[in-house]
Amino acid sequence: MSEADKKLFELGFTKEIENKRRIDFCSKHFISETNIISFDLKRKQLECFIESDSPFTPNEPYKLNLEELKAITLKCSELGWW
């Protein structure tokens, strides 16, 4: 487990998907909402959003706190994005 993975784990995230195309970290926010931080490995893009279990609630942007931003920055560095 990398340092960034450990930091995200400490912040309540688990690695749900890891393949050649993407890495997704998820954290349950409320009963029906999940915070997702997704790294697109092919395009070198990052997406942070809240996914709802309800079909009537669209996904919305996820606002990061400073500790999450630090962990994401570390993960981008580990991936060699800069």
Side-chain angles (χ1 to χ4, degrees):
M1 183 182 286
S2 73
E3 284 300 312
D5 292 0
K6 288 178 189 174
K7 287 186 184 241
L8 286 165
F9 179 75
E10 290 169 3
L11 294 170
F13 287 86
T14 58
K15 192 184 293 185
E16 297 291 324
I17 296 173
E18 181 173 21
N19 56 41
K20 292 179 182 181
R21 182 154 182 82
R22 70 185 221 202
I23 302 172
D24 285 0
F25 291 90
C26 302
S27 172
K28 273 291 197 195
H29 184 60
F30 290 111
I31 293 171
S32 65
E33 294 181 346
T34 304
N35 297 339
I36 299 175
I37 300 173
S38 181
F39 295 84
D40 183 326
L41 303 176
K42 297 287 184 185
R43 296 183 179 136
K44 295 185 179 180
Q45 293 178 338
L46 174 70
E47 184 177 16
C48 303
F49 59 96
I50 300 171
E51 183 177 75
S52 175
D53 293 340
S54 169
F56 304 107
T57 306
N59 291 348
E60 59 184 69
Y62 173 54
K63 297 175 184 173
L64 301 169
N65 66 39
L66 186 56
E67 293 304 312
E68 292 165 340
L69 183 58
K70 287 178 185 178
I72 288 169
T73 302
L74 181 58
K75 187 67 178 176
C76 289
S77 178
E78 290 173 357
L79 292 171
W81 288 8
W82 58 69

